[in-house]
Amino acid sequence: MSVRKAIELGQFSHGGWYAKSQARDQSALRLRIREIAHARPRFGYQPIHVMLRREGWNVNRKRVYRWYRFEGLQIRMRVRRRKHMSLHRGPVPQARRTHERWSMDFVHDQLFGGRAFRVLTIVDQFSRQTPLLEPRFSFGGRDVVAALDRAIERTGTPASITIDHGTEFTSKVLEEWAYRRGVKLDFIHPGKPTENGHIESFNGRLRDECLNVMQFESIEDAIEKIEAWRIGIGISIGASRLCVDHSLVRRRRASRMSDSRKGHVPNGAV
């Protein structure tokens, strides 16, 4: 069938058939929306729009919603148990200095009377120090933010925090706090706690040396005893790191002396 016959049957105008689109290329915007959705699998189009505006994209919410639907990203929220749908970046790089990367998680325990409570644990990945251990009966996004503010007052602001996809860590309150503080939230793969091995190792030590050994009559008693344990473990970690540093100094000094002796040639030697 000729183009002319098709235009007549479809009741199109010749100008409309041959006209070229004047729309701007949106491939970069589509790619960025897809990257944000894959990095934050629990984000809808509205949080994605907020992040785009922060990055300097001059785009309205309706356009973001259209591309969000066109890319099929809303299906990701309906199949939450299909964890392979959540695509993330690779493993978090190792920390090279203090306060560069923190890890954060929760540990569950109960009082002597049987009432359950949770402990928010924070660990510096480089120094292995814990700036805060906070027991509470329940935690929300605002409680986590308040605890982080107290930890920062003690030690300083970290560059990033490695966390899982718990509801307290994916809240809008924590997202806003991280943006204002300039802190990056690094989310691990869902169902992969080994990617946050620093906090998992610390939580095991906390349970073995504190929670499984002590009995807590009340939440106030738990706060007092866990804080005392935190201070004690901080002193022991600092002492062990000091011993390691002195050991390294002695080994390096011995190595330099050995090298200097090997390079020395006695007088009269051939």
Side-chain angles (χ1 to χ4, degrees), residues 82-98:
R82 295 178 60 187
K83 297 176 181 178
H84 63 276
M85 294 292 291
S86 304
L87 304 179
H88 295 258
R89 76 279 183 274
V92 178
Q94 294 294 325
R96 298 183 178 180
R97 57 180 176 82
T98 306

Side-chain angles (χ1 to χ4, degrees), residues 127-194:
S127 66
R128 302 299 193 271
Q129 298 281 350
T130 171
L132 182 73
L133 292 176
E134 178 157 330
R136 290 177 62 96
F137 287 124
S138 63
F139 276 93
R142 298 186 184 277
D143 300 322
V144 173
V145 166
L148 285 171
D149 286 334
R150 288 192 291 272
I152 288 175
E153 289 178 0
R154 294 178 179 176
T155 60
T157 305
S160 66
I161 304 177
T162 304
I163 51 179
D164 58 23
H165 291 268
T167 54
E168 299 86 359
F169 299 151
T170 57
S171 63
K172 294 182 179 180
V173 177
L174 184 59
E175 177 69 27
E176 290 290 337
W177 175 89
Y179 175 72
R180 288 187 284 102
R181 287 280 191 173
V183 178
K184 181 180 179 182
L185 299 179
D186 285 326
F187 290 89
I188 63 174
H189 287 78
K192 298 290 185 179
T194 54

